[in-house]
C-alpha cells in the first residue's frame, strides 16, 4: 500500500483528504505543520507528499528546502495544493521535487487521487 | 511597527480602501472558506458515510459558511462606514465578552478547542458601538482560531489601563510551553501578512468610535486588543 503524507493546517480539510485517500486505497498520514511533517516524513518515508503552501509557522518552500537537504527524502514527489496555486510557478518549484500545483478551489477528490496515482506509479 | 517589547499598533489614518486596493486580496480571503465548503460537499456525496458523519460534515459546512459570511458582512460594513455615523453607548464589558463567547464557542468546539471569558476580568463600562465592538472581537477570535497554536487556550478579556480612562478588550491565545506542539518553535509569530486584513477591518470599525487596535506578542502567545474610552457614568457610581 502506497504511503502518502498530507501536510495541511486546516483540520477539516486535512481530514477530508485522509478520507479520500483511504477510500482510494492509499495509506495516508496527516501533519498540521512543517515541523510535524518533517518528523512524519522521516519516519514513514512516504511515496508522495501532498503539501499546502501556506502553513502556520512555516511555509511550503521552507519544508521543501529541508527535504532537499536529505538525499533520501529529496526524491519523494510532492503535490502542492493551495488557494494561491495561480501565483505559483511550477517551473521554479520543479527543482524542489514538485510535480504539480493544484488549486484547492477547483480540484475534485477524483482529480487529487488521479494526480497521486500518476506520481506514485 | 512592532516595538522591542512586542507591541504593535495598526497605523492610524490608513484607510482600508488604501490598503486593500486590490480586490484580489479580498477574493483570496473568501476563497479559503469557500474552497473548504466545496470540498466538504464532495464528501457529503460519498455513499460510505454514516448518519453521524453526515451530520458532522453538515455542521462543519454550516460553521465554515457562517465564518465566510461574517467576513463578507464586515467588508460590506467598512464600506458603509464612510456614509454612516455609528451610535455609541456605555456597554458592560462582561456582557459584550460573554456574547462573543456564546457566538464563537460552537466554532471552537467543532475544532476541538475552547474559547472562554477570562475569569479575572472585571466589569467596566466602555463607550462603543455595540455591533462594531462585537464584530471586532469576533474578528480577533476568528484570527486566533486560525493562526494560534492548536494546543493553545484562547480567552477574551478586559482590563483597565494605567490612566484608568480606557478599558482594553482583548483576545489572548496562550500555549503552555509543555503543551506546545512544536517544542522549540516560537508561538504564533504575528505573521502580519496573514493577520493584516482582519486587523485593518477591526481598525476601521474601532476608528468609528475612537477605539485603538493593537497587538502584543507574549512569550507564550499573542494578544489582539482594542482600547476604548471608559464611560463617564462610571464616575457617578
Amino acid at each position: 500500500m502506497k504511503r502518502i503524507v498530507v501536510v495541511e493546517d486546516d483540520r477539516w480539510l486535512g481530514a477530508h483528504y485522509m478520507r479520500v485517500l483511504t477510500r482510494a486505497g492509499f495509506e495516508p498520514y496527516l501533519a498540521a505543520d512543517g515541523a510535524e511533517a518533517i518528523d512524519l516524513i522521516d519516519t514513514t518515508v512516504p511515496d508522495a507528499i501532498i503539501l499546502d503552501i501556506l502553513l502556520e509557522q512555516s511555509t511550503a518552500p521552507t519544508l521543501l528546502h529541508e527535504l532537499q537537504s536529505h538525499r533520501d527524502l529529496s526524491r519523494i514527489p510532492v503535490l502542492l495544493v493551495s488557494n494561491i496555486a495561480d501565483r505559483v510557478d511550477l517551473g521554479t518549484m520543479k527543482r524542489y521535487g514538485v510535480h504539480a500545483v493544484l488549486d484547492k478551489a477547483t480540484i475534485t477528490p477524483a482529480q487529487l487521487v488521479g494526480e497521486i496515482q500518476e506520481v506514485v506509479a | 511597527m512592532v516595538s522591542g517589547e512586542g507591541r504593535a499598533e495598526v497605523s492610524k489614518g490608513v484607510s482600508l480602501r488604501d490598503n486593500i486596493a486590490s480586490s484580489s486580496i479580498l477574493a483570496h480571503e473568501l476563497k479559503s472558506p469557500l474552497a473548504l465548503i466545496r470540498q466538504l460537499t464532495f464528501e457529503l456525496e460519498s455513499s460510505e458515510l454514516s448518519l453521524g458523519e453526515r451530520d458532522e460534515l453538515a455542521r462543519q459546512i454550516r460553521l465554515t459558511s457562517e465564518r465566510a459570511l461574517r467576513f463578507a458582512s464586515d467588508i460590506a460594513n467598512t464600506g458603509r462606514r464612510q456614509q454612516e455615523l455609528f451610535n455609541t453607548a456605555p456597554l458592560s464589558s462582561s456582557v459584550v465578552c460573554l456574547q462573543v463567547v456564546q457566538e464563537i464557542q460552537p466554532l471552537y468546539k467543532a475544532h476541538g478547542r475552547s474559547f472562554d471569558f477570562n475569569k479575572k476580568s472585571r466589569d467596566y463600562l466602555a463607550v462603543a458601538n455595540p455591533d462594531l465592538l462585537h464584530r471586532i472581537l469576533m474578528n480577533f477570535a476568528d484570527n486566533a482560531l486560525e493562526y494560534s497554536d492548536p494546543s493553545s487556550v484562547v480567552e477574551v478579556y478586559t482590563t483597565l489601563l494605567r490612566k484608568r480612562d480606557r478599558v482594553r478588550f482583548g483576545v489572548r491565545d496562550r500555549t503552555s510551553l509543555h503543551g506546545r506542539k512544536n517544542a522549540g518553535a516560537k508561538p504564533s509569530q504575528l505573521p502580519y501578512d496573514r493577520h493584516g486584513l482582519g486587523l485593518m477591518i477591526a481598525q476601521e470599525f474601532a476608528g468609528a468610535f475612537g477605539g485603538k487596535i493593537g497587538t502584543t506578542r507574549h512569550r507564550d502567545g499573542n494578544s489582539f486588543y482594542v482600547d476604548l474610552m471608559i464611560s463617564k457614568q462610571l464616575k457617578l457610581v
Side-chain angles (χ1 to χ4, degrees):
Chain A
M1 200 180 273
K2 301 285 187 184
R3 289 184 298 273
I4 313 293
V5 164
V6 177
V7 191
E8 171 59 62
D9 59 2
D10 186 304
R11 187 178 156 182
W12 293 344
L13 195 53
H16 165 67
Y17 291 149
M18 295 289 282
R19 287 188 293 258
V20 168
L21 293 171
T22 303
R23 277 202 296 271
F26 294 106
E27 187 181 329
Y29 298 85
L30 180 62
D33 57 50
E36 195 180 335
I38 284 290
D39 288 344
L40 201 52
I41 291 165
D42 210 26
T43 51
T44 59
V45 191
D47 297 283
I49 299 167
I50 295 175
L51 176 60
D52 181 20
I53 293 177
L54 295 173
L55 293 169
E56 187 199 337
Q57 297 174 351
S58 63
T59 60
T62 312
L63 179 61
L64 291 170
H65 271 291
E66 176 74 17
L67 291 178
Q68 290 302 307
S69 65
H70 301 272
R71 188 180 293 177
D72 52 338
L73 303 182
S74 66
R75 300 191 189 111
I76 301 171
V78 177
L79 293 179
L80 286 182
V81 185
S82 176
N83 277 322
I84 57 166
D86 52 345
R87 292 191 232 160
V88 179
D89 176 28
L90 179 60
T92 309
M93 301 307 284
K94 270 187 174 168
R95 73 183 72 149
Y96 295 104
V98 174
H99 282 239
V101 182
L102 311 172
D103 192 336
K104 277 183 183 175
T106 56
I107 193 159
T108 65
Q111 285 168 335
L112 180 69
V113 169
E115 293 281 354
I116 285 287
Q117 281 169 340
E118 198 171 303
V119 295
V120 300
Chain B
M1 195 157 173
V2 182
S3 75
E5 293 170 276
R7 277 192 293 277
E9 286 176 2
V10 176
S11 350
K12 255 187 164 178
V14 180
S15 94
L16 176 64
R17 283 181 300 179
D18 292 339
N19 283 286
I20 51 172
S22 167
S23 57
S24 67
I25 298 173
L26 293 176
H28 175 70
E29 290 288 326
L30 276 173
K31 199 175 170 186
S32 178
L34 292 175
L36 175 59
I37 290 168
R38 180 172 173 272
Q39 291 297 328
L40 293 176
T41 53
F42 279 125
E43 196 63 32
L44 269 181
E45 290 169 0
S46 165
S47 57
E48 296 171 29
L49 294 174
S50 69
L51 196 59
E53 286 170 329
R54 278 180 197 284
D55 286 347
E56 177 58 21
L57 281 171
R59 192 169 63 102
Q60 290 176 358
I61 290 168
R62 178 173 54 77
L63 290 168
T64 307
S65 60
E66 283 173 359
R67 191 173 185 180
L69 285 168
R70 270 203 301 277
F71 182 76
S73 168
D74 284 351
I75 293 292
N77 268 334
T78 53
R80 280 207 299 273
R81 194 181 81 73
Q82 306 300 324
Q83 291 91 41
E84 288 180 17
L85 183 65
F86 287 106
N87 294 325
T88 58
L91 305 171
S92 156
S93 61
S94 299
V95 170
V96 171
C97 291
L98 288 170
Q99 284 170 343
V100 170
V101 170
Q102 192 176 16
E103 188 170 338
I104 201 76
Q105 225 169 27
L107 183 61
Y108 269 73
K109 277 188 180 163
H111 281 84
R113 301 186 61 181
S114 69
F115 184 93
D116 293 305
F117 181 32
N118 180 287
K119 291 182 179 63
K120 291 178 184 167
S121 296
R122 291 175 56 193
D123 195 28
Y124 305 102
L125 275 184
V127 180
N129 176 279
D131 180 48
L132 293 188
L133 178 57
H134 183 78
R135 284 168 185 273
I136 289 169
L137 295 174
M138 288 294 291
N139 216 315
F140 291 163
D142 271 335
N143 263 344
L145 177 65
E146 191 151 353
Y147 299 117
S148 64
D149 189 291
S151 65
S152 64
V153 173
V154 186
E155 289 180 330
V156 59
Y157 68 91
T158 56
T159 184
L160 194 61
L161 297 186
R162 197 175 296 168
K163 289 182 181 172
R164 306 182 73 81
D165 62 343
R166 297 182 86 85
V167 61
R168 175 168 294 176
F169 289 73
V171 170
R172 164 92 153 95
D173 62 86
R174 186 179 281 108
T175 310
S176 72
L177 295 178
H178 177 70
R180 192 179 300 160
K181 236 172 48 170
N182 304 309
K186 291 178 185 171
S188 175
Q189 296 172 31
L190 295 184
Y192 285 101
D193 53 333
R194 299 181 75 184
H195 284 294
L197 192 58
L199 275 181
M200 277 189 272
I201 290 170
Q203 177 63 19
E204 281 286 309
F205 287 169
F209 49 85
K212 200 156 87 177
I213 299 289
T215 67
T216 305
R217 186 187 310 180
H218 310 279
R219 188 163 171 265
D220 60 348
N222 298 300
S223 291
F224 286 79
Y225 59 79
V226 56
D227 292 342
L228 301 172
M229 290 303 293
I230 207 152
S231 169
K232 303 282 189 223
Q233 290 180 25
L234 190 67
K235 291 179 179 171
L236 302 175
V237 178

